[in-house]
Amino acid sequence: MKESTRSRSAWIQVINAMLVVIMLGIVYYAFVMNQTQGVMIAAGVMLVGTAIGVGWRYAQQKPPTSAIVEPVGITKLVLLNEDGDSVKEWYINGETSLLIGKRSNQSEVDIDLTESEYASLISKEHAVLNYASGVWYIEDIESRNGTGIQHRGAGSKQRLEKDHPHKLEQGDIIFIANTRLQMK
């Protein structure tokens, strides 16, 4: 939430609290201190009007419950074996950039495929996953044996151009050389 919106919301809450205090003062004066029926009726009308106004303003501030739906999207990356079974998982929810490759003394990677079946075909820094504006992208970064994508439901895979990001969706399979990673 922006600072100006937060500050405005705080002021509205202060004003609403002040209105409640004023309403309580009117109730006390009209119904306890003063016994004139005209004052009681006027106070009742003012209280009802103020209550409706405060309630309406409060309803305008709260987002509709339909807007509070958590987005369903890619939350993990799954290493698949030859049969398509899960071998290893990396939870990527909340991340913005992940380096895929093989760990070495000189470099660290986020998705380490050192122990995968086709590790000999994987570059130390093979590809990168980037998250921007609610979308995951993959980019081959000068790997020896290439990176590919098979979009969910597609029959064939496409080889990525180096240093060119490609959009990923849930269910897509990434090929790091011959190693398969699925976006789930």
Side-chain angles (χ1 to χ4, degrees):
M1 186 185 297
K2 291 182 179 177
E3 189 64 35
S4 62
T5 305
R6 203 174 310 154
S7 175
R8 181 175 170 219
S9 177
W11 275 110
I12 289 172
Q13 289 177 352
V14 167
I15 291 169
N16 286 342
M18 289 171 47
L19 286 173
V20 168
V21 169
I22 291 169
M23 286 175 23
L24 290 173
I26 291 171
V27 167
Y28 180 76
Y29 174 76
F31 296 101
V32 175
M33 294 180 67
N34 184 354
Q35 297 298 320
T36 309
Q37 190 157 355
V39 173
M40 288 183 191
I41 291 172
V45 169
M46 285 183 1
L47 288 173
V48 169
T50 304
I52 290 171
V54 169
W56 179 80
R57 179 164 294 278
Y58 179 73
Q60 295 298 315
Q61 289 179 349
K62 291 190 74 156
T65 54
S66 61
I68 308 175
V69 175
E70 288 295 320
V72 176
I74 298 168
T75 58
K76 64 182 174 180
L77 191 61
V78 179
L79 176 62
L80 303 174
N81 65 14
E82 288 296 319
D83 298 325
D85 297 324
S86 173
V87 176
K88 188 173 182 178
E89 298 178 346
W90 294 269
Y91 287 90
I92 61 175
N93 203 21
E95 300 293 334
T96 56
S97 185
L98 299 164
L99 181 61
I100 303 172
K102 294 189 301 188
R103 174 184 28 84
S104 70
N105 292 338
Q106 292 83 21
S107 67
E108 288 290 320
V109 293
D110 301 299
I111 308 297
D112 184 14
L113 301 175
T114 304
E115 297 178 16
S116 66
E117 188 174 355
Y118 298 104
S120 63
L121 301 174
I122 298 171
S123 300
K124 289 180 182 175
E125 293 183 353
H126 198 102
V128 66
L129 287 171
N130 289 307
Y131 187 74
S133 301
V135 178
W136 280 101
Y137 296 90
I138 188 161
E139 194 174 329
D140 184 275
I141 48 175
E142 304 294 326
S143 66
R144 288 186 317 265
N145 293 304
T147 303
I149 303 175
Q150 182 178 1
H151 292 289
R152 181 182 62 214
S156 62
K157 66 179 178 180
Q158 79 181 74
R159 187 178 175 114
L160 303 184
E161 300 170 32
K162 292 180 180 177
D163 299 321
H164 183 72
H166 293 271
K167 182 179 177 180
L168 292 169
E169 295 179 359
Q170 196 169 26
D172 289 351
I173 296 176
I174 300 168
F175 290 84
I176 304 296
N178 289 344
T179 302
R180 297 183 304 159
L181 299 168
Q182 187 173 26
M183 303 299 286
K184 287 196 174 186

